[in-house]
Amino acid sequence: MAYMIYKIFWICLASLALSACQTTSKLEKNDAPIESIESADDTDIVEADTEQLGFIDTVPPVNSAEEEILPEEEPVVAVTKPKAPADIWERIRAGYQLNLDIDRPRLSSQLRWFSSHPSYLDRVSKRGERYLYYIVDELEKAGIPTEIALLPIVESGFDPFGYSHGRASGPWQFIPSTGQMYGLDQTWWYDGRRDIIGSTQAAIAYLTRLNKMFDGNWLHALASYNSGEGTVLRAIRKNKKAGKPTDFWSLDLPKETRAYVPKLIALAKIIKNPEKYNYSTYFIPNKPYFDVVNIGGQLDLAQAADMAEISIDEVYLLNPGFNQWATSPDGPHRLLMPISKAKQFRTKLAEIPSNERVTWVRYTVKAGDNLLLVAKQHNTTVNVLQDVNKISSTMIRVGQELMIPVAGNKIESYTLSSHQRLLAKQSRAPNRNRIKINYTVNAGDSLWLISNKYGTDSKTLARWNNMGLADPLMPGKKLVVWLEPKPSESGTRSVMKKVVYTIRSGESLAVVANKFKVSINDIKDWNPKVGSQKYVQPGDKVTLLVNVVGG
């Protein structure tokens, strides 16, 4: 029986093998063979007909555990990254988002002015060379139109020390209140409105908020940046109520704001197509100009310049937020350095002990001293003296010793500190033959009262003294007034010359006035210090404006 079962098994196995051979033979004899897809040309590939090839239905599904049909792999294509533009202006053009296809009289007048002043465009471009790469980089990260990188030209001409009569300061021209709103501290040591990093971040935050407020309308946002969102919102409501359009060009806005937005658009159009306006852009490399170095504490800026082997002016131009001879003791504890000097600066900074980063003097309090007087004498503040010497009040005693941080170099060498910039501003005469008056502010004085006394206006007086119209006038503050020669009353030609005259023994102001044919009141106006005295003394010097032609 076992033998019979064994025989039947082998007969069945042989039958199955024979059947398989016959099926293979039929397929091989088919008149239309199927070529491999891998060897076929694109023109030979046709869609399979499942009715003719019935065995295809027997192919297992692709998710079968027994067999898996894999799709043909796509060829790998190497993606070449676009080369970054060499020129920052090309990068700025690539990020434009505003509609520049505008034809308005206000825009045309701005285009005419800018295109006829190529030297001005070159000048502001050179000023902005230190900052443009950083600004463009930050605008791109925030998704803001890169035309906004030109806004500091409209605001300040890329002057980081720019200060307007409206008390706006820095490259982005923040007024004190808006600056504080966006975290820009303003102290004796430091003004964040001029800090390149701080003010740029604040401008981006402010512009982003304004853009959202006006539903993505950048022209409304820019107008609001100039005159305040309340001004623009009121103008929009007024036009809606009157049934008028509410686009920027239709709004009744302040004169300055009506020109502000066209200025930016005009600049953007010129940068987009400089050849059309007969201008060639000043080349600015599309690469970082500065590196940010963490200094960890207060540092004398002259010492920083020496370590980096750059000029003190370059330190201030990269770090214009610092008002004095050193960084602020309260921070920010960072310095921007030219990227080529940053490594060297870091190395030398690490070698200097923390107590040698500023110069210290030991001062012994004398009779009549007070903390404010000592602070002024050493170009520092009461708060710094209190903090350094662990003093909780302003009371000091004779013989007490104070440690005072002082400038390591002569104070005049810190040419772009706040005080030195003011002195330079006050020394620049508006034109020739004007006489300079040093005026000391008295209690109750105002810019209007002083300017009215000397025949000028408040805005001009403020500009001469690098002030805003609303800046406080403290008694004792020194102001400069530039007096203009009075026209000759006789109608004869006059050529005015400035003369410094030394009072001689026995002379009075009346004698001097008669000698030079001027009035006593003029002499007193030209010389407030001498004019306030009851009598003049031999050796006193007076400045006079004398008509050398009219006798």
Side-chain angles (χ1 to χ4, degrees), residues 436-510:
K436 179 180 176 181
I437 302 299
N438 294 308
Y439 182 84
T440 303
V441 175
N442 300 308
D445 271 345
S446 67
L447 286 177
W448 183 86
L449 286 172
I450 299 169
S451 60
N452 190 54
K453 177 179 180 180
Y454 289 104
T456 185
D457 59 83
S458 300
K459 188 180 291 188
T460 302
L461 181 61
R463 186 175 67 250
W464 289 337
N465 293 279
N466 207 30
M467 294 175 60
L469 291 175
D471 283 357
L473 273 184
M474 304 301 292
K477 183 179 178 67
K478 305 292 184 183
L479 296 181
V480 163
V481 181
W482 291 97
L483 290 184
E484 193 171 9
K486 294 179 181 178
S488 173
E489 295 178 1
S490 63
T492 59
R493 190 168 70 91
S494 63
V495 176
M496 307 303 293
K497 291 291 184 182
K498 186 165 65 174
V499 175
V500 178
Y501 182 77
T502 303
I503 304 291
R504 299 172 183 174
S505 178
E507 287 185 333
S508 64
L509 289 183

Side-chain angles (χ1 to χ4, degrees), residues 172-191:
W172 295 93
Q173 289 288 283
F174 277 96
I175 60 173
S177 57
T178 309
Q180 288 167 354
M181 188 186 305
Y182 285 92
L184 302 178
D185 294 336
Q186 298 148 56
T187 67
W188 185 81
W189 284 101
Y190 169 79
D191 191 336

Side-chain angles (χ1 to χ4, degrees), residues 508-528:
S508 64
L509 289 183
V511 171
V512 176
N514 185 59
K515 179 182 291 188
F516 289 96
K517 293 184 172 53
V518 296
S519 71
I520 296 176
N521 287 335
D522 280 342
I523 297 177
K524 288 182 177 180
D525 286 344
W526 297 335
N527 302 271

Side-chain angles (χ1 to χ4, degrees), residues 79 225 231 254 261 264 282 327 345 378 402 407 420 429 440 462 487 530:
V79 179
Y225 187 89
T231 301
V261 173
L264 179 67
Y282 172 77
T327 64
F345 175 69
H378 293 87
L402 301 174
Q420 295 302 315
T440 303
V530 173

Side-chain angles (χ1 to χ4, degrees), residues 7 116 134 182 191 204 248 277 319 352 420-421 443 454 469-470:
K7 188 174 181 179
S116 62
Y134 173 78
Y182 285 92
D191 191 336
I204 288 173
F248 165 78
Y277 300 97
N319 303 275
I352 298 176
Q420 295 302 315
R421 290 198 317 273
Y454 289 104
L469 291 175

